[in-house]
Amino acid sequence: MSSDQPPKRPERAVKRAAPSALPAPVAPATPHVASALAASSPWAYAPAPESKELALIRPRYGLFIDGQERAPASGEVVITYNPATEEPLAEVAKGGAEDADRAISAAERAYRKVWSKLAPRERAKYLYRISRILQERSREFAVTETLDSGKPIRESRDVDVPLAAAHFWYYAGWADKLQYAVPGRRPESHGVVGQVIPWNFPLLMLAWKIAPALAAGNTVVLKPASTTPLTALLFADVCRQADLPPGVVNIITGPGEMGMAIATDPRVAKVAFTGSTSVGIKIAQGIAGHGKALTLELGGKAANIVFEDAALDQAVEGVINGIFFNQGEVCCAGSRLLVQESIAEDFIARLKDRMSTLRVGDPMDKNTDVGAINSRAQMETIGELVASGVAEGANLWQPECVLPDRGWFYKPTLFTNVAQSHRIAREEIFGPVLSTITFRTVDEAIEKANNTAYGLSAGIWTEKGSRILQVAAQLKAGVVWANTFNRFDPTSPFGGYKESGYGREGGLQGLHAYLRSS
Ligand code: NDP
């Protein structure tokens, strides 16, 4: 991005609080003998840090409107921090309603004059180009994502960035085949779409939203989360590199109110939001009665159900991946372990052994399994919910591991003796905390799995195919994984029931969300 109009010198509005001491994590209730592979053993891994120099982070970023970098009307900035070190990374423009208005005007103009007039196969070329550039610049994106979000470099490198590129590639293929997406009807774009995304998968959520929107012929105004704006701003640079016509994609940083200003603007015909259920409800209320299309991808409290006939070590891996991937800051995380009573003791012992080998620490280290929590506020939410679990009578266990002196880190945490009424069994913790509940029969497992206000995802572990089909059909969850967990693919739709939201992203269904069909 060019810096022809850099933001004025700040009155600083600091989104993340300045570093200070956090409440100590609750001590383990039961001691555990560390596994032979634990970090403190002779088998400990040597550090393998990725180079920070691969991320060319500038000291300051403006708003990306109409193909150019612009100063925010307020002249203010917010600072984005590295959650692993608590050090500032960059100053980012603090946009507001006036900037949202400018961005929507640019998107509306680009839609009317350019994007809606372009032959679909030409739109496809831009999407393919964006996908290729993301692949070419993948290391830069992975490092930037890890520095800004705290997620392990292994995950940004192997999951977030390749999947983001794959989404653009997949939807590029749809751009000139829209009539086959809605057979017998005439597909039309909405016009300008407004998109608000969260901090747990900053680039991937951007790709989930922008790729189908552009393929369907819409133009976009997108707001990233305030704690993780950098890969979205880097993506603005990709748009320029791909020669995307100005105004087709606009990326504006700013607080939640600016997200609401985008959603409620009458020129925005479709809104897509991923984040907390409480904000999703506010957006739905804010736009009600205006005929806007809306998709909401909100929270979850997924059950990962392990039956006694499952391949136990494989199931342990799946449970570990289900809750500790991205520090558990995942809407579809398998945060409730439902384990059959007959194997519970054996399974929990194996799980503790495996948890003792998790490497928690520097997200830039290629060996790290569990990185930093995204913000101090999120650390406090996790701490508060864990304390409630102890107070309500559940048994807490954490492996012996040394956390870094600085940064926002939380020990992998396992709760047993959890009742369904406990907050840790009902509320989304969004952290590396697993709550275990036992069951005896298949019906009891299904009933307990569905006993939640959410309905985003679930996992089933069994060797019987018939049981997978029987249970999956009765689970009220948008995605059900069998003998695996947290698998994502651009061709596969993703979304929820109940308080997990409505509408689907990904696949053909995700394309439908960006089309009106007559
Ligand atoms: P939010 O829902 O507040 O944030 C998600 C996005 O919405 C961010 O871009 C945020 O902007 C924006 N936003 C905030 N308020 C408004 C508003 N009134 N109108 C429009 N947009 C708004 O999530 P939090 O960051 O507060 O996280 C809280 C909890 O939400 C977590 O603990 C977790 O349980 C859940 N969550 C779920 C996610 C999911 O993927 N389902 C993702 C993130 C959080 P800004 O960053 O500027 O505040």
Side-chain angles (χ1 to χ4, degrees), residues 79-330:
I79 298 172
T80 184
Y81 288 91
N82 180 346
T85 61
E86 305 178 36
E87 284 163 1
L89 286 169
E91 293 179 344
V92 174
K94 185 181 177 191
E98 212 177 305
D99 304 295
D101 179 68
R102 281 199 293 166
I104 294 164
S105 297
E108 195 274 326
R109 214 167 31 244
Y111 178 74
R112 205 165 16 89
K113 294 193 170 166
V114 184
W115 201 242
S116 62
K117 300 218 163 98
L118 210 61
R121 67 175 180 281
E122 297 303 318
R123 285 205 306 269
K125 285 182 193 168
Y126 285 109
L127 288 162
Y128 280 125
R129 210 178 283 167
I130 288 171
S131 177
R132 285 212 185 89
I133 296 170
L134 284 176
Q135 289 169 64
E136 279 163 18
R137 297 176 65 174
S138 61
R139 290 187 80 190
E140 182 186 353
F141 268 97
V143 171
T144 308
E145 194 75 306
T146 286
L147 290 174
D148 204 23
S149 72
K151 65 173 65 203
I153 185 72
R154 198 157 47 83
E155 293 179 7
S156 349
R157 183 195 65 194
D158 298 346
V159 182
D160 297 62
V161 178
L163 266 179
H167 272 79
F168 280 96
W169 196 265
Y170 170 72
Y171 282 111
W174 273 115
D176 60 352
K177 303 173 194 70
L178 297 181
Q179 67 276 25
Y180 301 107
V182 283
R185 299 165 76 192
R186 201 158 59 88
E188 282 176 74
S189 48
H190 287 286
V192 178
V193 304
Q195 305 176 325
V196 178
I197 59 171
W199 43 261
N200 52 345
F201 292 91
L203 179 70
L204 187 57
M205 289 304 105
L206 173 150
W208 278 26
K209 292 196 166 39
I210 293 185
L214 297 190
N218 305 282
T219 57
V220 168
V221 177
L222 178 134
K223 178 195 124 45
S226 293
T227 57
T228 53
L230 294 185
T231 46
L233 295 166
L234 198 55
F235 182 82
D237 193 40
V238 169
C239 294
R240 289 161 59 101
Q241 197 181 340
D243 279 331
L244 194 70
V248 171
V249 169
N250 303 275
I251 295 173
I252 52 176
T253 46
E257 303 87 72
M258 194 191 69
M260 191 57 94
I262 296 170
T264 50
D265 189 290
R267 294 165 294 175
V268 171
K270 187 228 159 21
V271 176
F273 171 78
T274 299
S276 61
T277 299
S278 56
V279 172
I281 290 170
K282 277 189 205 158
I283 289 182
Q285 287 169 340
I287 67 171
H290 294 278
K292 291 175 194 256
L294 174 65
T295 41
L296 293 177
E297 202 268 273
L298 310 175
K301 194 73 193 173
N304 214 350
I305 311 170
V306 183
F307 289 98
E308 61 189 358
D309 63 345
L312 292 192
D313 287 331
Q314 191 187 331
V316 165
E317 279 309 305
V319 169
I320 292 279
N321 169 264
I323 187 59
F324 300 120
F325 173 60
N326 201 33
Q327 298 74 244
E329 298 168 319
V330 183

Side-chain angles (χ1 to χ4, degrees), residues 22-60:
L22 285 160
V26 192
T30 48
H32 178 78
V33 179
S35 151
L37 285 176
S40 54
S41 84
W43 294 97
Y45 283 63
E50 177 62 287
S51 167
K52 287 193 180 72
E53 276 63 54
L54 291 163
L56 307 169
I57 297 174
R58 291 165 28 199
R60 198 183 292 181

